[in-house]
Amino acid sequence: MTDALKRLSDEGVAIWLDDLSRKRITSGNLAELIDQQHVVGVTTNPSIFQKAISQGDGYDTQLTDLAARKVTVEEAIRMITTSDVRDAADILRPVFDATDGQDGRVSIEVDPRLAHNTRATVAEAKQLAWLVDRPNALIKIPATKAGLPAITETIARGISVNVTLIFSLERYRAVMDAYLEGLEKAKAAGLDLSKIQSVASFFVSRVDTETDKRLDAIGTDEAKALKGKAAVANARLAYQAYEEVFSSDRWAALEKAHANKQRPLWASTGVKDPSLKDTMYVEELVAPNTVNTMPEATLEATADHGEITGDKVRGTYEQARADLDALAKLGISYDDIVQVLEDEGVEKFEASWNDLLKSTEAELKRLAPSEG
């Protein structure tokens, strides 16, 4: 079952699971995925935690204690989520040690309501890093315009960061610049750059969802022929940008100080369109020094019938550019698509956070001690 996942790993793709729950931790399932399915990291988000807390009774003991203390809903969420991330980080610690800190990472997201507030995002990142208190934690910061300086300041403090919600090539270059600036500040402050890691989460499937909707509206044969191509083309051109930035003179100076490259991470790799192969965003984005964070269904599909045939990114840049140019010729605006997706992404993260607040509040009320 794991041959395809092993081949993927051997090609330099770190396999991370896009899911976490207390049951997954306590049942031994996470340890099993690490042992048998080549999983070397975990990403989380408010939707994942909302689903975990609202299903089953895995959190009842902690929620009962939190209810007895009459904590706020926000504090309860912080206690619950950082507890899960801390435990997952401990399970992944052997991977972290074996890879010199590159993998074995667990990501936790800043409150998405702070996405447009630089100062509050940095404060939240510091607080989460302190609460989790594990060297293999990654703090997720969205790549909004306000998020960029927050990334720099967080990295400058020696806190490792997973930059999330990247859709456009222009914004991705700004993210890499923010990372390098953060490293330069950390170096000037005398910090050990070898201890700082970062990944840049470039979202994939949503690009096809939005683009293909517009192609369907055009409805011509020419338009239909371009369906399912935009997301992979976009991600491949992102890798080209990564290669350029991390072979620059600016990077060379940081590399001499033992800095780590910020790896591209392919996020949102579950295929939304049933007419596309369910492992497409894994198979078509194989490249060295990348991360693919997968929902469990995508992980299982790849293990079952994934076809990993080597590097599918380098050497494809000309075709990728041609695919995006063909969309422009049909009047489909790349800039509009990526802006719509970023705006929607922030809104979805905020909606998920509000759902998490409601679910947690309901559980605290259910388990609150009766008065008297």
Side-chain angles (χ1 to χ4, degrees), residues 19-70:
D19 192 53
L20 188 63
S21 68
R22 191 146 304 171
K23 185 178 179 184
R24 203 181 276 286
I25 291 164
T26 57
S27 68
N29 173 262
L30 178 58
E32 189 177 288
L33 291 173
I34 295 163
D35 184 50
Q36 298 178 14
Q37 302 283 56
H38 303 277
V39 168
V40 293
V42 166
T43 50
T44 68
N45 60 44
S47 293
I48 285 168
F49 282 123
Q50 189 273 331
K51 183 181 171 189
I53 291 167
S54 62
Q55 292 180 352
D57 57 4
Y59 295 89
D60 279 10
T61 301
Q62 187 178 13
L63 280 161
T64 299
D65 289 345
L66 291 166
R69 289 173 49 216
K70 297 184 179 179

Side-chain angles (χ1 to χ4, degrees), residues 73-360:
V73 181
E74 278 87 355
E75 186 182 347
I77 288 170
R78 274 201 171 144
M79 293 301 103
I80 289 165
T81 58
T82 55
S83 175
D84 277 2
V85 168
R86 191 180 308 116
D87 289 344
D90 287 344
I91 294 167
L92 278 153
R93 185 60 188 261
V95 177
F96 174 81
D97 292 337
T99 59
D100 291 326
Q102 184 177 51
D103 285 308
R105 296 276 174 174
V106 186
S107 296
I108 184 167
E109 192 166 326
V110 298
D111 183 338
R113 295 172 299 182
L114 308 176
H116 301 297
N117 185 327
T118 301
R119 197 167 169 184
T121 295
V122 174
E124 174 93 341
K126 286 162 62 182
Q127 172 77 352
L128 287 173
W130 179 80
L131 278 170
V132 174
D133 193 27
R134 293 295 184 271
N136 48 334
L138 284 174
I139 308 304
K140 284 176 88 171
I141 297 175
T144 55
K145 285 179 181 173
L148 294 171
I151 293 157
T152 295
E153 291 309 311
T154 304
I155 291 290
R157 286 171 165 80
I159 298 170
S160 294
V161 172
N162 174 347
V163 183
T164 188
L165 217 63
I166 308 170
F167 295 99
S168 81
L169 297 166
E170 181 186 11
R171 185 60 55 84
Y172 177 45
R173 286 184 180 275
V175 164
M176 290 188 283
D177 183 68
Y179 175 59
L180 296 184
E181 189 182 343
L183 288 176
E184 287 159 354
K185 287 189 172 188
K187 183 184 173 188
L191 298 185
D192 180 356
L193 301 193
S194 72
K195 304 292 186 192
I196 304 170
Q197 286 279 355
S198 183
V199 292
S201 296
F202 204 84
F203 279 51
V204 184
S205 66
R206 294 186 196 182
V207 174
D208 272 341
T209 301
E210 181 64 28
T211 306
D212 291 357
K213 183 171 74 178
R214 299 181 187 207
L215 289 167
D216 282 336
I218 294 169
T220 63
D221 289 343
E222 190 182 8
K224 288 174 187 171
L226 287 170
K227 286 185 68 177
K229 290 187 176 180
V232 168
N234 198 38
R236 286 172 171 170
L237 292 172
Y239 193 84
Q240 182 185 34
Y242 156 79
E243 287 191 306
E244 287 172 11
V245 170
F246 289 99
S247 60
S248 66
D249 290 342
R250 184 184 183 190
W251 167 247
L254 289 163
E255 194 169 35
K256 277 182 188 171
H258 309 292
N260 298 294
K261 290 179 179 177
Q262 182 187 53
R263 288 181 293 171
L265 178 151
W266 311 128
S268 184
T269 55
V271 173
K272 309 277 194 296
D273 183 345
S275 71
L276 300 174
K277 188 176 180 184
D278 57 359
T279 53
M280 182 175 91
Y281 301 129
V282 177
E283 296 172 1
E284 297 299 320
L285 294 175
V286 175
N289 210 38
T290 57
V291 179
N292 195 309
T293 185
M294 309 179 201
E296 190 167 25
T298 304
L299 182 76
E300 288 175 352
T302 304
D304 181 60
H305 53 264
E307 297 174 72
I308 308 302
T309 56
D311 187 339
K312 298 294 286 285
V313 175
R314 291 181 297 182
T316 66
Y317 306 142
E318 198 174 320
Q319 182 59 54
R321 177 55 61 196
D323 286 342
L324 293 189
D325 286 347
L327 291 170
K329 283 174 187 168
L330 290 175
I332 292 175
S333 167
Y334 174 85
D335 289 342
D336 185 62
I337 285 171
V338 294
Q339 190 59 56
V340 164
L341 289 172
E342 182 183 314
D343 293 344
E344 277 184 1
V346 172
E347 286 171 15
K348 283 177 181 176
F349 277 7
E350 283 189 18
S352 297
W353 187 264
N354 289 330
D355 288 343
L356 176 58
L357 286 169
K358 286 174 193 166
S359 289
T360 306

